[in-house]
Amino acid sequence: MKLNPAFCRLFPFAIYLGFFAVGGAFEFLYVQGAPFLENWDPRWLYPTKTLLVLLALIWLWRNFTELAKPSEVKPIDWAIGVVTGVVVFVLWINLAQDWATVGQSAGYDPTDPQTGQPDWTLVAIRIFGAAMVVPVMEELFWRSFVMRWIARQDFLGVDPARVGAKAFFITAVLFASEHSLWLAGLMAGVAYNWLYMRSRNLWVPVAAHAVTNGLLGFWVVQTHNWQFW
């Protein structure tokens, strides 16, 4: 069965966002004393979310034509993507000022409440999800779908290099709105948009996004700045 291209790129992202509502509902029921949540551990929501998003990506993979040929990426584009990912990481941890933040993010704390030590299984899953699953899911949604769809609704036929300024900046702003660190998110959105337009290959912003999230993950573990997760 041929699936709608927009659905294919929206569905994994919708699962990811949906878990924020699921987490909020579980937290409410837990506080209310729901008996089936007596032993509920909210730290396992992220692994569950990561697994479901990964399964959705695997199920829909044949529909992602923009990810069909990573071998076509030029070495210089890989290099620029990696460097950009490092730059975005540096910006991310240095733009966490009050004026550049909306709301308070509790982040993801994998610490075992009994021992006070990080649960390394959860740490590994969190880094894997952030560096290997989220970049693919988000770049398919934000860059491949949203940015090109704003340019033209039959987005699969849109050359990334020709999306135009309107689609570029709207997508960057929307991407920023997804993050409590809105300025860091805006800079990241601009950087990943630019990479997609420059290289015309989605693997380049995916690689940059993976580098940013991977470095952030290792930094968070080293510094215990869990709020950045």
Side-chain angles (χ1 to χ4, degrees), residues 49 70 87 93 99 156 192 209:
K49 172 172 62 176
V87 171
I93 63 175
W99 60 270
L156 288 180
Y192 303 152
H209 203 152

Side-chain angles (χ1 to χ4, degrees), residues 8-228:
C8 293
R9 290 150 185 82
L10 175 60
F11 183 62
F13 186 75
I15 293 174
Y16 191 83
L17 285 188
F19 262 79
F20 289 103
V22 171
F26 276 24
E27 180 68 27
F28 173 79
L29 292 173
Y30 178 76
V31 171
Q32 297 301 312
F36 65 93
L37 290 177
E38 182 179 353
N39 298 313
W40 177 57
D41 186 346
R43 298 178 304 159
W44 283 95
L45 278 176
Y46 187 87
T48 304
K49 172 172 62 176
T50 299
L51 175 61
L52 291 178
V53 171
L54 179 60
L55 290 175
L57 290 172
I58 293 171
W59 170 49
L60 297 167
W61 192 261
R62 67 179 64 186
N63 296 277
F64 303 140
T65 54
E66 62 272 61
L67 293 175
K69 297 180 179 180
S71 60
E72 292 184 355
V73 179
K74 299 176 183 177
I76 185 62
D77 289 331
W78 284 122
I80 291 173
V82 170
V83 171
T84 301
V86 174
V87 171
V88 172
F89 158 69
V90 173
L91 289 173
W92 200 275
I93 63 175
N94 285 284
L95 288 177
Q97 312 299 323
D98 289 341
W99 60 270
T101 304
V102 175
Q104 295 291 328
S105 174
Y108 179 77
D109 187 348
T111 303
D112 187 324
Q114 302 297 324
T115 66
Q117 298 298 314
D119 184 318
W120 294 109
T121 298
L122 292 175
V123 168
I125 294 173
R126 184 65 173 83
I127 292 177
F128 171 79
M132 303 300 292
V133 179
V134 168
V136 176
M137 175 266 295
E138 286 203 320
E139 295 309 311
L140 281 166
F141 177 75
W142 289 114
R143 251 58 64 181
S144 181
F145 172 50
V146 173
M147 189 164 70
R148 292 196 294 170
W149 182 86
I150 293 172
R152 197 172 73 227
Q153 291 189 7
D154 57 333
F155 66 96
L156 288 180
V158 176
D159 182 344
R162 299 182 180 276
V163 296
K166 175 184 175 182
F168 183 99
F169 288 110
I170 289 177
T171 303
V173 170
L174 290 175
F175 184 76
S177 71
E178 185 192 7
H179 302 86
S180 59
L181 298 177
W182 65 266
L183 183 56
L186 180 62
M187 295 297 100
V190 167
Y192 303 152
N193 286 358
W194 172 74
L195 286 173
Y196 190 34
M197 292 180 68
R198 181 191 176 280
S199 67
R200 297 179 172 178
N201 193 304
L202 194 65
W203 277 111
V204 178
V206 167
H209 203 152
V211 169
T212 300
N213 287 4
L215 289 174
L216 182 63
F218 286 111
W219 178 81
V220 165
V221 172
Q222 287 295 318
T223 62
H224 289 194
N225 280 300
W226 309 118
Q227 71 275 12
F228 278 84

